[in-house]
Amino acid sequence: CLHCLRNVGLGLPHFECSSCNSIFNAKCFKASKAEVINGNFYCRSCKYSISKKYNPFKVIIDNEDETTDPYLQKMSDILESCKSYTTQSLPGRNGHSALIPLL
């Protein structure tokens, strides 16, 4: 475990960073300042490089035991493939973001 520097025992609860593949004991999750983003685990070092996406369907799909509704899967796939933008990269008028209406 990169946080407590103890061995991660085979079969013991643990999590792996989806970006750098570092392994941590599950009990170190909070103390290591790791985070779950878009349904994946990320360590403290990697979590800042991940864009957070809103996808309420991913939780539903991940928790289903049987076959997933194809419409839910399609909506989830669309949201997962959306490109992220910063407010500075959006087109606007007079220095204002295009998302904020001018009154």
Side-chain angles (χ1 to χ4, degrees):
C1 173
L2 288 180
H3 180 71
C4 69
L5 303 177
R6 294 184 184 149
N7 290 333
V8 178
L10 197 60
L12 294 178
H14 66 281
F15 69 95
E16 181 178 341
C17 176
S18 294
S19 183
C20 69
N21 298 322
S22 297
I23 297 176
F24 299 83
N25 289 310
K27 65 182 180 178
C28 294
F29 181 80
K30 189 173 185 177
S32 69
K33 299 187 179 175
E35 194 171 332
V36 177
I37 302 172
N38 306 327
N40 296 313
F41 293 102
Y42 293 97
C43 67
R44 179 176 49 184
S45 301
C46 297
K47 71 181 183 180
Y48 298 108
S49 64
I50 306 301
S51 298
K52 293 183 182 181
K53 295 181 179 183
Y54 176 71
N55 186 350
F57 307 110
K58 189 168 179 70
V59 174
I60 296 168
I61 291 168
D62 289 346
N63 289 333
E64 286 187 355
D65 293 336
E66 297 177 16
T67 58
T68 301
D69 181 341
Y71 293 110
L72 287 178
Q73 185 65 54
K74 180 68 173 172
M75 290 185 284
S76 179
D77 293 344
I78 289 169
L79 289 174
E80 285 297 311
S81 64
C82 286
K83 183 178 178 190
S84 298
Y85 294 94
T86 63
T87 54
Q88 291 81 15
S89 68
L90 293 172
R93 292 177 280 162
N94 302 326
H96 296 316
S97 170
L99 296 178
I100 302 173
L102 299 174
L103 300 176

